[in-house]
Amino acid sequence: MARFTPRQDEQEGLVENQDIRKAGLKVTLPRVKILEILENSEARHVSAEDVYKQLLANDEEIGLATVYRVLTQFEGAGLVERHQFDGGHSVFELNRGTHHDHIVCIRCGKVEEFVDESIEKRQREIATEKGFEIADHSLVIYGECKKENCPNLKE
Amino acid sequence: MARFTPRQDEQEGLVENQDIRKAGLKVTLPRVKILEILENSEARHVSAEDVYKQLLANDEEIGLATVYRVLTQFEGAGLVERHQFDGGHSVFELNRGTHHDHIVCIRCGKVEEFVDESIEKRQREIATEKGFEIADHSLVIYGECKKENCPNLKE
DNA sequence: ATTACAAATGCACAAGCTTCTCATTTCCAC
DNA sequence: GTGGAAATGAGAAGCTTGTGCATTTGTAAT
Ligand SMILES: [Mn+2]
Ligand SMILES: [Mn+2]
Ligand SMILES: [Zn+2]
Ligand SMILES: [Zn+2]
Protein backbone atom coordinates (compact mmCIF):
# COMPACT_ATOMS: atom_id res chain seq x y z
CA MET A 1 0.00 0.00 0.00
CA ALA A 2 2.94 2.27 0.47
CA ARG A 3 3.74 1.93 -3.17
CA PHE A 4 0.99 4.26 -4.37
CA THR A 5 1.03 6.75 -1.53
CA PRO A 6 1.84 10.16 -3.02
CA ARG A 7 4.44 12.32 -1.37
CA GLN A 8 2.98 14.83 1.02
CA ASP A 9 3.84 17.89 -1.04
CA GLU A 10 2.13 16.47 -4.12
CA GLN A 11 -0.82 15.42 -2.01
CA GLU A 12 -1.48 18.92 -0.77
CA GLY A 13 -0.76 20.53 -4.10
CA LEU A 14 1.73 22.94 -2.56
CA VAL A 15 4.21 24.73 -4.74
CA GLU A 16 6.32 26.05 -1.90
CA ASN A 17 8.16 22.81 -1.26
CA GLN A 18 9.88 23.27 -4.59
CA ASP A 19 10.74 26.81 -3.60
CA ILE A 20 12.42 25.56 -0.44
CA ARG A 21 14.36 23.01 -2.44
CA LYS A 22 15.36 25.57 -5.03
CA ALA A 23 16.81 27.61 -2.20
CA GLY A 24 19.10 24.70 -1.37
CA LEU A 25 17.31 23.94 1.88
CA LYS A 26 15.98 20.61 3.05
CA VAL A 27 12.20 20.38 2.99
CA THR A 28 11.42 20.02 6.66
CA LEU A 29 8.16 20.24 8.52
CA PRO A 30 9.00 23.52 10.26
CA ARG A 31 9.95 25.18 7.01
CA VAL A 32 6.82 24.03 5.27
CA LYS A 33 4.57 25.15 8.13
CA ILE A 34 6.19 28.53 8.38
CA LEU A 35 5.80 29.10 4.67
CA GLU A 36 2.14 28.11 4.91
CA ILE A 37 1.59 30.65 7.64
CA LEU A 38 3.23 33.37 5.60
CA GLU A 39 0.95 32.47 2.70
CA ASN A 40 -2.28 32.20 4.63
CA SER A 41 -1.90 34.73 7.42
CA GLU A 42 -4.45 37.50 7.58
CA ALA A 43 -1.80 40.18 7.95
CA ARG A 44 0.69 40.29 5.15
CA HIS A 45 3.42 41.68 7.42
CA VAL A 46 4.20 39.56 10.46
CA SER A 47 6.86 39.42 13.13
CA ALA A 48 8.73 36.27 14.11
CA GLU A 49 6.65 36.24 17.27
CA ASP A 50 3.44 36.43 15.17
CA VAL A 51 4.53 33.39 13.19
CA TYR A 52 5.43 31.54 16.38
CA LYS A 53 2.06 32.27 17.95
CA GLN A 54 0.29 31.06 14.83
CA LEU A 55 2.27 27.82 15.01
CA LEU A 56 1.27 27.35 18.64
CA ALA A 57 -2.36 27.99 17.71
CA ASN A 58 -2.04 25.25 15.09
CA ASP A 59 -0.57 22.85 17.68
CA GLU A 60 2.75 22.70 15.90
CA GLU A 61 5.68 22.00 18.18
CA ILE A 62 8.16 24.34 16.59
CA GLY A 63 10.60 26.38 18.62
CA LEU A 64 10.94 30.13 18.43
CA ALA A 65 14.63 29.71 17.61
CA THR A 66 13.66 27.71 14.56
CA VAL A 67 11.25 30.42 13.48
CA TYR A 68 14.00 33.01 13.58
CA ARG A 69 16.46 30.68 11.87
CA VAL A 70 14.07 29.74 9.10
CA LEU A 71 12.90 33.30 8.48
CA THR A 72 16.50 34.41 8.17
CA GLN A 73 17.23 31.57 5.77
CA PHE A 74 14.15 32.39 3.72
CA GLU A 75 15.32 35.96 3.59
CA GLY A 76 18.72 34.89 2.37
CA ALA A 77 17.04 32.74 -0.26
CA GLY A 78 14.85 35.61 -1.40
CA LEU A 79 11.65 33.87 -0.35
CA VAL A 80 10.74 36.53 2.20
CA GLU A 81 11.64 40.15 2.79
CA ARG A 82 12.52 41.65 6.15
CA HIS A 83 11.52 45.19 7.08
CA GLN A 84 12.50 47.28 10.08
CA PHE A 85 9.66 49.65 10.72
CA ASP A 86 10.20 52.05 13.61
CA GLY A 87 10.00 50.34 16.95
CA GLY A 88 12.97 48.08 16.65
CA HIS A 89 11.71 44.63 15.71
CA SER A 90 11.64 43.06 12.27
CA VAL A 91 8.56 42.18 10.26
CA PHE A 92 8.54 39.69 7.42
CA GLU A 93 6.46 39.26 4.32
CA LEU A 94 6.39 36.76 1.48
CA ASN A 95 8.33 37.99 -1.51
CA ARG A 96 5.73 38.24 -4.24
CA GLY A 97 8.34 39.36 -6.74
CA THR A 98 7.18 42.94 -7.02
CA HIS A 99 8.97 45.67 -5.17
CA HIS A 100 6.89 48.09 -3.15
CA ASP A 101 7.19 50.56 -0.31
CA HIS A 102 5.07 50.98 2.81
CA ILE A 103 2.88 53.44 4.62
CA VAL A 104 2.24 52.61 8.28
CA CYS A 105 -0.38 53.95 10.68
CA ILE A 106 1.32 55.08 13.87
CA ARG A 107 -1.88 54.58 15.85
CA CYS A 108 -3.08 51.10 14.81
CA GLY A 109 -0.06 49.65 13.02
CA LYS A 110 -1.91 49.03 9.77
CA VAL A 111 0.44 48.66 6.80
CA GLU A 112 -0.44 49.57 3.24
CA GLU A 113 1.75 49.22 0.21
CA PHE A 114 2.46 51.43 -2.74
CA VAL A 115 4.74 51.76 -5.72
CA ASP A 116 5.71 55.03 -7.30
CA GLU A 117 7.89 54.87 -10.34
CA SER A 118 8.85 58.54 -10.20
CA ILE A 119 10.23 58.04 -6.69
CA GLU A 120 12.07 54.92 -7.78
CA LYS A 121 13.59 56.79 -10.68
CA ARG A 122 14.74 59.72 -8.59
CA GLN A 123 16.37 57.33 -6.16
CA ARG A 124 18.36 55.74 -8.94
CA GLU A 125 19.42 59.16 -10.15
CA ILE A 126 20.45 60.26 -6.67
CA ALA A 127 22.53 57.12 -6.14
CA THR A 128 24.28 57.76 -9.43
CA GLU A 129 24.92 61.40 -8.56
CA LYS A 130 26.48 60.34 -5.27
CA GLY A 131 28.61 57.67 -6.93
CA PHE A 132 26.79 54.80 -5.24
CA GLU A 133 25.90 51.51 -6.85
CA ILE A 134 22.41 51.08 -5.48
CA ALA A 135 21.63 47.75 -3.84
CA ASP A 136 18.36 48.36 -2.07
CA HIS A 137 16.25 50.98 -0.46
CA SER A 138 13.69 51.39 2.28
CA LEU A 139 10.93 53.98 2.17
CA VAL A 140 8.35 54.07 4.92
CA ILE A 141 5.77 56.80 5.36
CA TYR A 142 4.35 57.11 8.87
CA GLY A 143 0.99 58.72 9.48
CA GLU A 144 -2.48 58.33 10.86
CA CYS A 145 -5.01 56.40 8.84
CA LYS A 146 -8.60 57.57 8.40
CA LYS A 147 -10.27 57.97 11.75
CA GLU A 148 -13.30 55.90 10.80
CA ASN A 149 -11.06 52.97 9.84
CA CYS A 150 -8.51 53.15 12.64
CA PRO A 151 -9.26 50.53 15.29
CA ASN A 152 -7.25 52.46 17.85
CA LEU A 153 -9.44 55.52 17.61
CA LYS A 154 -13.04 54.72 18.45
CA GLU A 155 -14.25 57.47 20.78
CA MET B 1 37.86 87.30 42.42
CA ALA B 2 34.81 85.14 42.16
CA ARG B 3 32.72 88.20 41.49
CA PHE B 4 33.93 88.60 37.93
CA THR B 5 34.20 84.91 37.04
CA PRO B 6 31.94 84.34 34.05
CA ARG B 7 29.64 81.35 34.07
CA GLN B 8 31.11 78.38 32.33
CA ASP B 9 28.75 78.41 29.38
CA GLU B 10 29.51 82.06 28.63
CA GLN B 11 33.20 81.37 29.08
CA GLU B 12 33.26 78.69 26.42
CA GLY B 13 31.00 80.58 24.04
CA LEU B 14 28.66 77.62 23.69
CA VAL B 15 25.17 78.11 22.40
CA GLU B 16 23.94 74.63 23.24
CA ASN B 17 23.44 75.31 26.95
CA GLN B 18 20.62 77.61 26.03
CA ASP B 19 19.19 74.91 23.78
CA ILE B 20 19.16 72.48 26.68
CA ARG B 21 17.45 75.05 28.87
CA LYS B 22 14.91 75.87 26.20
CA ALA B 23 14.03 72.18 26.14
CA GLY B 24 13.12 72.45 29.81
CA LEU B 25 16.09 70.37 30.90
CA LYS B 26 18.64 71.21 33.55
CA VAL B 27 22.06 72.06 32.17
CA THR B 28 24.11 69.21 33.55
CA LEU B 29 27.62 68.11 32.79
CA PRO B 30 26.54 64.88 31.03
CA ARG B 31 24.09 66.70 28.80
CA VAL B 32 26.64 69.36 27.87
CA LYS B 33 29.33 66.80 27.11
CA ILE B 34 27.00 64.65 25.02
CA LEU B 35 25.92 67.66 23.00
CA GLU B 36 29.55 68.61 22.46
CA ILE B 37 30.29 65.16 21.13
CA LEU B 38 27.36 65.34 18.74
CA GLU B 39 28.63 68.71 17.53
CA ASN B 40 32.28 67.82 17.18
CA SER B 41 32.25 64.16 16.28
CA GLU B 42 33.84 63.24 13.01
CA ALA B 43 30.84 61.17 11.96
CA ARG B 44 27.59 63.07 11.85
CA HIS B 45 25.60 59.92 12.60
CA VAL B 46 26.55 58.12 15.80
CA SER B 47 25.13 55.36 17.94
CA ALA B 48 24.63 55.60 21.69
CA GLU B 49 27.62 53.32 22.06
CA ASP B 50 29.70 55.63 19.85
CA VAL B 51 28.84 58.55 22.11
CA TYR B 52 29.64 56.50 25.20
CA LYS B 53 33.02 55.44 23.84
CA GLN B 54 33.84 59.04 22.98
CA LEU B 55 33.00 60.03 26.54
CA LEU B 56 35.29 57.32 27.90
CA ALA B 57 38.04 58.49 25.55
CA ASN B 58 37.59 61.98 27.00
CA ASP B 59 37.85 60.61 30.55
CA GLU B 60 34.30 61.57 31.36
CA GLU B 61 32.66 59.40 33.99
CA ILE B 62 29.22 59.20 32.44
CA GLY B 63 27.18 56.03 32.50
CA LEU B 64 25.80 54.34 29.42
CA ALA B 65 22.30 54.55 30.90
CA THR B 66 22.67 58.31 31.04
CA VAL B 67 23.72 58.40 27.41
CA TYR B 68 20.57 56.56 26.37
CA ARG B 69 18.40 58.67 28.67
CA VAL B 70 19.86 61.94 27.45
CA LEU B 71 19.73 61.03 23.78
CA THR B 72 16.08 60.07 24.15
CA GLN B 73 15.35 63.34 25.95
CA PHE B 74 17.18 65.29 23.27
CA GLU B 75 15.12 63.47 20.68
CA GLY B 76 11.92 64.39 22.50
CA ALA B 77 13.07 67.98 22.67
CA GLY B 78 13.85 68.02 18.96
CA LEU B 79 17.57 68.59 19.53
CA VAL B 80 18.55 65.33 17.85
CA GLU B 81 17.01 62.91 15.41
CA ARG B 82 17.00 59.16 15.73
CA HIS B 83 17.35 56.91 12.69
CA GLN B 84 17.07 53.14 12.40
CA PHE B 85 19.31 52.10 9.55
CA ASP B 86 19.36 48.36 8.86
CA GLY B 87 21.29 46.46 11.46
CA GLY B 88 19.15 46.92 14.53
CA HIS B 89 20.63 49.78 16.52
CA SER B 90 19.69 53.44 16.45
CA VAL B 91 21.91 56.22 15.21
CA PHE B 92 21.55 59.82 16.27
CA GLU B 93 22.42 63.11 14.66
CA LEU B 94 22.14 66.72 15.68
CA ASN B 95 18.99 68.31 14.33
CA ARG B 96 20.18 71.08 12.08
CA GLY B 97 16.64 72.11 11.27
CA THR B 98 16.61 70.87 7.69
CA HIS B 99 14.99 67.59 6.75
CA HIS B 100 16.99 65.21 4.65
CA ASP B 101 17.17 61.53 3.73
CA HIS B 102 20.14 59.18 3.71
CA ILE B 103 22.19 56.98 1.46
CA VAL B 104 24.34 54.42 3.25
CA CYS B 105 27.26 52.34 2.01
CA ILE B 106 26.67 48.71 2.90
CA ARG B 107 30.40 48.02 2.81
CA CYS B 108 31.92 50.80 4.90
CA GLY B 109 28.89 52.31 6.63
CA LYS B 110 29.47 55.79 5.25
CA VAL B 111 26.34 57.95 5.35
CA GLU B 112 25.57 60.75 2.93
CA GLU B 113 22.55 62.99 2.94
CA PHE B 114 20.26 64.29 0.26
CA VAL B 115 17.01 66.14 -0.23
CA ASP B 116 14.75 65.71 -3.21
CA GLU B 117 11.68 67.86 -3.36
CA SER B 118 9.99 65.76 -6.03
CA ILE B 119 10.22 62.70 -3.79
CA GLU B 120 8.90 64.67 -0.83
CA LYS B 121 5.99 65.89 -2.91
CA ARG B 122 5.07 62.44 -4.21
CA GLN B 123 5.11 61.12 -0.66
CA ARG B 124 2.63 63.77 0.42
CA GLU B 125 0.42 62.92 -2.52
CA ILE B 126 0.57 59.20 -1.82
CA ALA B 127 -0.36 59.74 1.83
CA THR B 128 -3.34 61.82 0.75
CA GLU B 129 -4.42 59.19 -1.78
CA LYS B 130 -4.29 56.53 0.92
CA GLY B 131 -6.21 58.69 3.37
CA PHE B 132 -3.29 59.04 5.75
CA GLU B 133 -2.34 62.19 7.61
CA ILE B 134 1.42 62.08 7.17
CA ALA B 135 3.50 62.43 10.31
CA ASP B 136 6.96 61.45 9.22
CA HIS B 137 8.88 59.33 6.78
CA SER B 138 12.11 57.44 6.47
CA LEU B 139 13.93 56.95 3.19
CA VAL B 140 17.26 55.18 3.14
CA ILE B 141 19.08 54.10 0.00
CA TYR B 142 21.60 51.29 0.50
CA GLY B 143 24.43 50.79 -1.91
CA GLU B 144 28.16 50.61 -2.42
CA CYS B 145 30.11 53.81 -2.50
CA LYS B 146 32.88 54.46 -5.02
CA LYS B 147 35.55 51.81 -4.77
CA GLU B 148 38.39 54.29 -4.52
CA ASN B 149 36.73 55.98 -1.54
CA CYS B 150 35.48 52.93 0.32
CA PRO B 151 37.79 52.10 3.22
CA ASN B 152 36.46 48.54 3.31
CA LEU B 153 37.61 47.78 -0.20
CA LYS B 154 41.34 48.21 -0.56
CA GLU B 155 42.59 45.19 -2.43
C1' DA C 1 28.22 81.86 49.89
C1' DT C 2 24.92 78.85 52.02
C1' DT C 3 20.93 76.35 51.95
C1' DA C 4 17.23 73.42 50.29
C1' DC C 5 15.10 70.58 47.24
C1' DA C 6 13.75 68.82 42.89
C1' DA C 7 16.02 66.94 39.11
C1' DA C 8 19.51 64.11 37.23
C1' DT C 9 22.98 60.58 37.56
C1' DG C 10 25.39 56.00 38.13
C1' DC C 11 25.09 51.61 38.98
C1' DA C 12 23.00 47.37 38.89
C1' DC C 13 19.52 45.08 37.16
C1' DA C 14 15.71 43.87 33.97
C1' DA C 15 13.03 43.67 29.59
C1' DG C 16 12.52 42.56 24.86
C1' DC C 17 14.17 40.84 20.76
C1' DT C 18 17.33 37.92 18.47
C1' DT C 19 21.02 34.55 18.08
C1' DC C 20 23.88 30.77 19.72
C1' DT C 21 25.01 26.04 21.77
C1' DC C 22 24.57 21.47 21.71
C1' DA C 23 22.21 17.10 22.51
C1' DT C 24 18.68 14.91 19.89
C1' DT C 25 15.81 14.25 15.88
C1' DT C 26 14.68 14.41 11.00
C1' DC C 27 15.28 14.26 6.19
C1' DC C 28 17.10 12.01 2.18
C1' DA C 29 20.48 9.69 -0.87
C1' DC C 30 21.88 5.27 -1.10
C1' DG D 1 15.88 0.33 5.79
C1' DT D 2 20.42 2.64 6.99
C1' DG D 3 23.97 6.21 7.58
C1' DG D 4 25.16 10.53 8.26
C1' DA D 5 24.79 15.27 7.39
C1' DA D 6 21.49 18.83 8.19
C1' DA D 7 18.00 20.70 11.03
C1' DT D 8 15.57 21.23 15.31
C1' DG D 9 14.17 22.36 20.32
C1' DA D 10 15.17 24.03 24.67
C1' DG D 11 17.47 26.99 27.07
C1' DA D 12 21.29 30.06 27.74
C1' DA D 13 23.42 34.08 26.18
C1' DG D 14 23.93 38.64 23.70
C1' DC D 15 22.71 43.16 22.57
C1' DT D 16 20.34 47.30 22.80
C1' DT D 17 17.47 49.98 25.55
C1' DG D 18 14.98 51.15 29.69
C1' DT D 19 14.09 51.28 35.11
C1' DG D 20 14.58 51.58 40.34
C1' DC D 21 16.83 53.62 43.75
C1' DA D 22 20.43 55.63 46.67
C1' DT D 23 23.42 59.50 45.90
C1' DT D 24 24.92 63.63 43.64
C1' DT D 25 24.23 67.97 41.23
C1' DG D 26 22.11 72.16 39.49
C1' DT D 27 19.32 76.09 40.67
C1' DA D 28 17.14 79.64 42.75
C1' DA D 29 16.13 81.72 47.00
C1' DT D 30 18.07 83.09 50.91
MN1 LIG E 1 4.99 44.86 2.03
MN1 LIG F 1 21.43 62.75 8.52
ZN1 LIG G 1 -4.75 53.41 11.98
ZN1 LIG H 1 31.76 52.52 1.29
Side-chain angles (χ1 to χ4, degrees):
Chain A
M1 79 180 176
R3 181 177 307 188
F4 296 99
T5 302
R7 299 215 324 279
Q8 191 195 345
D9 46 324
E10 294 169 349
Q11 189 167 215
E12 305 201 356
L14 302 174
V15 292
E16 62 248 27
N17 292 14
Q18 287 312 318
D19 297 330
I20 295 174
R21 247 186 276 274
K22 266 182 252 165
L25 300 169
K26 279 200 334 197
V27 177
T28 63
L29 188 142
R31 300 212 258 236
V32 171
K33 293 301 176 190
I34 290 171
L35 210 40
E36 280 179 22
I37 285 174
L38 290 171
E39 279 187 332
N40 304 329
S41 108
E42 181 69 17
R44 199 167 257 180
H45 305 85
V46 293
S47 66
E49 191 72 31
D50 292 335
V51 172
Y52 180 61
K53 283 195 291 220
Q54 260 300 297
L55 290 167
L56 290 185
N58 298 0
D59 283 316
E60 302 290 347
E61 309 238 316
I62 295 176
L64 181 56
T66 300
V67 174
Y68 275 102
R69 249 184 322 229
V70 167
L71 287 173
T72 301
Q73 291 161 341
F74 282 0
E75 183 193 12
L79 288 178
V80 309
E81 292 188 336
R82 178 197 302 254
H83 307 294
Q84 304 240 187
F85 301 153
D86 276 10
H89 64 295
S90 299
V91 300
F92 300 84
E93 70 173 315
L94 256 185
N95 182 350
R96 280 155 287 143
T98 57
H99 167 74
H100 56 261
D101 293 307
H102 298 95
I103 178 163
V104 180
C105 176
I106 56 184
R107 272 197 309 247
C108 68
K110 178 166 44 190
V111 180
E112 299 195 23
E113 306 181 334
F114 66 89
V115 190
D116 187 90
E117 185 47 43
S118 72
I119 290 180
E120 302 288 328
K121 179 164 160 245
R122 282 300 296 137
Q123 290 183 102
R124 291 190 295 266
E125 291 168 359
I126 289 161
T128 302
E129 283 168 27
K130 298 277 184 194
F132 277 64
E133 188 163 331
I134 196 168
D136 196 8
H137 73 263
S138 158
L139 169 56
V140 186
I141 300 177
Y142 298 95
E144 304 187 345
C145 76
K146 276 214 171 69
K147 283 163 194 52
E148 55 271 30
N149 301 333
C150 191
N152 283 14
L153 195 74
K154 305 286 192 197
E155 24 176 323
Chain B
M1 78 180 179
R3 181 175 306 189
F4 295 99
T5 301
R7 298 214 324 282
Q8 191 193 345
D9 46 325
E10 296 169 346
Q11 191 169 215
E12 304 202 356
L14 303 174
V15 292
E16 64 248 28
N17 292 15
Q18 288 311 317
D19 297 330
I20 295 174
R21 245 185 277 273
K22 266 181 251 166
L25 300 170
K26 277 194 348 191
V27 177
T28 63
L29 189 142
R31 299 213 257 238
V32 171
K33 293 302 177 191
I34 289 171
L35 212 40
E36 280 178 22
I37 285 174
L38 290 170
E39 279 188 331
N40 304 331
S41 108
E42 180 68 19
R44 199 168 257 183
H45 306 84
V46 293
S47 67
E49 191 71 32
D50 291 336
V51 172
Y52 181 60
K53 282 195 291 220
Q54 261 299 299
L55 290 168
L56 291 184
N58 297 359
D59 283 315
E60 303 289 346
E61 309 239 315
I62 295 176
L64 182 56
T66 300
V67 174
Y68 276 103
R69 252 184 320 231
V70 167
L71 287 173
T72 301
Q73 292 161 341
F74 282 178
E75 182 192 13
L79 288 178
V80 310
E81 292 187 337
R82 179 196 301 253
H83 307 293
Q84 304 245 182
F85 301 154
D86 277 9
H89 63 296
S90 299
V91 300
F92 300 85
E93 70 174 315
L94 258 184
N95 183 349
R96 278 154 289 143
T98 56
H99 167 73
H100 56 261
D101 293 306
H102 298 95
I103 179 165
V104 180
C105 176
I106 56 185
R107 271 197 309 250
C108 68
K110 178 167 45 191
V111 179
E112 298 196 24
E113 307 181 335
F114 66 88
V115 190
D116 186 89
E117 185 47 42
S118 71
I119 290 179
E120 303 287 328
K121 179 164 162 245
R122 282 300 296 136
Q123 289 183 90
R124 291 190 295 267
E125 291 167 359
I126 289 161
T128 302
E129 285 167 26
K130 296 277 182 194
F132 277 64
E133 189 163 331
I134 195 168
D136 196 8
H137 73 262
S138 157
L139 169 56
V140 186
I141 300 176
Y142 298 94
E144 303 187 346
C145 77
K146 277 215 171 68
K147 282 162 196 52
E148 56 271 30
N149 301 332
C150 192
N152 283 15
L153 195 74
K154 304 288 191 195
E155 24 176 324

